[in-house]
Amino acid sequence: IVQGILTMAANSPNGNEANASQAVHKPPPMPSPLRYSKFSQAKLRILVTGGAGFIGSHLVDRLMEAGNNEVIVADNFFTGSKDNLRKWIGHPNFELIRHDVTETLLVEVDQIYHLACPASPIFYKYNPVKTIKTNVIGTLNMLGLAKRVGARILLTSTSEVYGDPLEHPQKEEYWGNVNPIGVRSCYDEGKRVAETLMFDYHRQHGLEIRIARIFNTYGPRMNIDDGRVVSNFIAQALRGEELTVQAPGTQTRSFCYVSDMVDGLIRLMGGDNTGPINIGNPGEFTMLELAETVKELIEPSARIKMTENTPDDPRKRKPDITKAKTLLGWEPK
């Protein structure tokens, strides 16, 4: 028994992310026998949780337009909208389920894109306990499903796992600087736990996992009142209101266009790397620069007003996308 324990200890992973994928002792669960049919090629069945949301619906568009996929969307419509998916409703290869991921879901699928979670501070702070449940119980439910049906699962994690970073730009190896008891912690720590669960299922059960750490994204179908800075400034300018910039205005963000983001997610799912991999645009702007750009484009007479900053707001945010470039051949276009 002692010899067995010592052997297990010698073979155990040391916590290094680089070795995480090598620490698997179990083969991945077998997918559906349909995948091995000799006479007909079944369509790939793909579940997208949160598929009625901003990024999710653009991902669904790309998967449906490929023509060789059957797509199932599960969404509780807390922040998502059926309108985002209107053109696919009724299509023979598309299915929409009103479902909350904190409840178990039984479907037969080959791939899972797990996007479900409110991503804007206004929404994830509205019900922080529910946000934690979505990140933890929701991810557990999706991992349980992936294990049962032998599906590959991709988690959209977030740059928020780096917190208010002391390293700039942020590499995937950086462990972050996160307040565990702050008003944003339900989202930040929730996603960190979701990543932990993904790797634990990978090591313990051999699951095929992919983790994308996505940075600020913008584009069509953003909710105009979701409190994110791009939509905030544009909405204020269109309404003829003052553009409210949180002090000091020198804090930075990096903005990736949604079509680039979707391309990165699909490449990660189709590749051989577990991640985590940063998916974002390394072009960095201060909030004052962004406000001035919106002002110039929409309402040159608009005034900029400084307001008090929110707690735990990161001062800098910029991805190091070296891994995305070398491992996925991806960079924002």
Side-chain angles (χ1 to χ4, degrees):
I1 292 169
V2 172
Q3 184 62 44
I5 292 169
L6 289 171
T7 305
M8 284 173 64
N11 292 333
S12 70
N14 62 5
N16 187 330
E17 281 181 345
N19 296 329
S21 59
Q22 298 161 13
V24 180
H25 301 302
K26 293 191 68 171
M30 293 294 287
S32 161
L34 279 173
R35 296 274 69 80
Y36 305 107
S37 170
K38 291 186 176 72
F39 302 106
S40 65
Q41 185 54 55
K43 286 184 167 70
L44 208 59
R45 296 169 301 184
I46 303 173
L47 171 65
V48 182
T49 71
F54 163 46
I55 296 176
S57 62
H58 284 280
L59 174 63
V60 168
D61 286 351
R62 191 77 64 87
L63 295 173
M64 286 294 293
E65 285 159 4
N68 57 349
N69 301 314
E70 289 180 6
V71 179
I72 302 170
V73 168
D75 203 299
N76 69 350
F77 303 112
F78 175 54
T79 58
S81 167
K82 275 187 190 174
D83 272 354
N84 292 339
L85 300 168
R86 183 182 292 171
K87 70 177 175 182
W88 302 118
I89 292 173
H91 192 287
N93 292 337
F94 179 78
E95 194 175 338
L96 177 59
I97 306 170
R98 183 185 291 268
H99 181 81
D100 191 313
V101 291
T102 59
E103 304 293 334
T104 52
L105 179 65
L106 302 177
V107 288
E108 296 295 326
V109 291
D110 305 297
Q111 292 182 350
I112 301 169
Y113 286 88
H114 180 37
L115 280 72
C117 185
S120 160
I122 282 183
F123 289 107
Y124 67 65
K125 290 179 188 175
Y126 168 76
N127 188 342
V129 173
K130 177 70 175 181
T131 300
I132 276 278
K133 283 182 174 179
T134 302
N135 278 319
V136 179
I137 299 171
T139 302
L140 269 172
N141 284 335
M142 288 305 111
L143 284 164
L145 171 63
K147 180 187 169 194
R148 186 178 69 82
V149 300
R152 178 178 291 184
I153 179 169
L154 181 149
L155 169 73
T156 52
S157 186
T158 170
S159 58
E160 296 291 336
V161 299
Y162 300 124
D164 187 5
L166 305 176
E167 175 183 291
H168 192 75
Q170 293 82 55
K171 289 191 176 90
E172 289 85 353
E173 291 76 19
Y174 179 52
W175 288 357
N177 176 40
V178 178
N179 177 0
I181 56 169
V183 292
R184 302 168 70 106
S185 305
C186 58
Y187 186 66
D188 303 8
E189 297 286 36
K191 287 289 189 183
R192 285 163 71 98
V193 172
E195 287 194 16
T196 303
L197 288 168
M198 291 280 286
F199 267 99
D200 284 341
Y201 264 78
H202 173 59
R203 285 184 284 250
Q204 190 171 334
H205 300 298
L207 237 64
E208 288 192 3
I209 64 162
R210 304 289 182 266
I211 297 176
R213 287 181 181 158
I214 66 178
F215 283 66
N216 295 64
T217 308
Y218 73 101
R221 300 181 197 156
M222 289 186 85
N223 183 335
I224 198 160
D225 291 309
D226 73 356
R228 289 190 249 206
V229 70
V230 173
S231 46
N232 251 15
F233 287 167
I234 292 172
Q236 288 169 338
L238 289 171
R239 293 170 186 152
E241 300 169 0
E242 294 176 320
L243 275 57
T244 53
V245 177
Q246 293 187 355
T250 53
Q251 63 271 43
T252 66
R253 296 292 182 271
S254 306
F255 298 102
C256 184
Y257 195 68
V258 67
S259 57
D260 284 329
M261 178 59 62
V262 167
D263 183 41
L265 295 178
I266 290 174
R267 284 180 187 230
L268 178 59
M269 178 65 98
D272 297 322
N273 293 92
T274 58
I277 292 183
N278 291 336
I279 308 284
N281 193 325
E284 188 181 17
F285 302 91
T286 69
M287 295 303 90
L288 273 173
E289 285 173 331
L290 179 65
E292 289 289 353
T293 302
V294 171
K295 178 179 159 180
E296 185 182 324
L297 287 168
I298 298 174
E299 185 52 70
S301 64
R303 291 177 59 243
I304 293 174
K305 178 188 175 187
M306 285 290 177
T307 61
E308 191 179 341
N309 205 337
T310 54
D312 302 324
D313 186 49
R315 289 160 295 178
K316 286 184 178 291
R317 187 57 56 75
K318 176 182 177 178
D320 181 313
I321 61 166
T322 306
K323 276 192 176 179
K325 284 178 178 176
T326 55
L327 301 177
L328 307 179
W330 177 89
E331 60 182 312
K333 298 287 193 293

